[in-house]
Amino acid sequence: MYENDGAPILGVILGSKKEKLVVLNDRGRELELAANRLYRLPGKTPVEIASTDERCGYLGSLRQESMEFSLQIDLEEVWTLLHDEGEEFDVKSLSELYFGDNSLQKHLGLRMALLSDNIYFKRNR
């Protein structure tokens, strides 16, 4: 995952060229990005998804599922559980605390919810 003008974009790493990674994004474009621009999600693309069209379809459905899932997350509840802790949390830790696991859909849904939040959580790049 990476961001372009503040919008989250999903991608699959296809390889590398020089010091950049070649990424196929969910819009069907291949681009070269520095590794520090990418946010690594848990899991891997299923091995049976090999063609460009299949990868784009997978990323598109993953985006849709994650967006729908993110709408069901109550960030006020998450904040209430954690605000007394006085420490920083990454998305992996939040996912494990809130859901009990860090599966791809839960992690991505929570990340999408956090990216759109401007009330409960501050973002530390």
Side-chain angles (χ1 to χ4, degrees), residues 13-31:
I13 297 172
L14 301 176
S16 62
K17 282 186 182 177
K18 298 182 182 178
E19 294 183 23
K20 295 192 175 188
L21 298 171
V22 178
V23 177
L24 173 68
N25 69 21
D26 58 0
R27 298 172 181 167
R29 293 187 53 217
E30 273 189 38
L31 35 123

Side-chain angles (χ1 to χ4, degrees), residues 2-125:
Y2 66 96
E3 291 181 47
N4 189 26
D5 293 330
I9 300 174
L10 299 179
V12 175
I13 297 172
L14 301 176
S16 62
K17 282 186 182 177
K18 298 182 182 178
E19 294 183 23
K20 295 192 175 188
L21 298 171
V22 178
V23 177
L24 173 68
N25 69 21
D26 58 0
R27 298 172 181 167
R29 293 187 53 217
E30 273 189 38
L31 35 123
E32 296 175 22
L33 297 171
N36 65 357
R37 290 240 0 242
L38 300 176
Y39 177 84
R40 182 165 163 53
L41 296 167
K44 295 183 180 190
T45 307
V47 292
E48 65 273 5
I49 297 175
S51 74
T52 298
D53 288 341
E54 289 173 331
R55 287 178 176 148
C56 289
Y58 171 76
L59 291 172
S61 63
L62 180 61
R63 169 185 284 288
Q64 183 65 35
E65 290 170 17
S66 299
M67 291 300 287
E68 290 171 7
F69 187 67
S70 75
L71 297 173
Q72 300 171 20
I73 297 171
D74 184 353
L75 288 179
E76 181 179 10
E77 181 182 349
V78 177
W79 182 82
T80 301
L81 291 170
L82 302 173
H83 80 279
D84 289 334
E85 297 293 322
E87 61 184 272
E88 292 183 11
F89 291 90
D90 59 13
V91 179
K92 178 183 182 227
S93 300
L94 286 175
S95 181
E96 289 170 347
L97 287 169
Y98 188 69
F99 301 116
D101 70 69
N102 188 42
S103 67
L104 175 58
Q105 284 76 14
K106 290 178 181 174
H107 184 104
L108 185 55
L110 181 58
R111 179 151 173 89
M112 296 283 201
L114 290 167
L115 287 173
S116 65
D117 173 61
N118 57 7
I119 297 173
Y120 298 105
F121 292 89
K122 290 182 182 178
R123 184 173 175 186
N124 183 357
R125 294 186 185 255

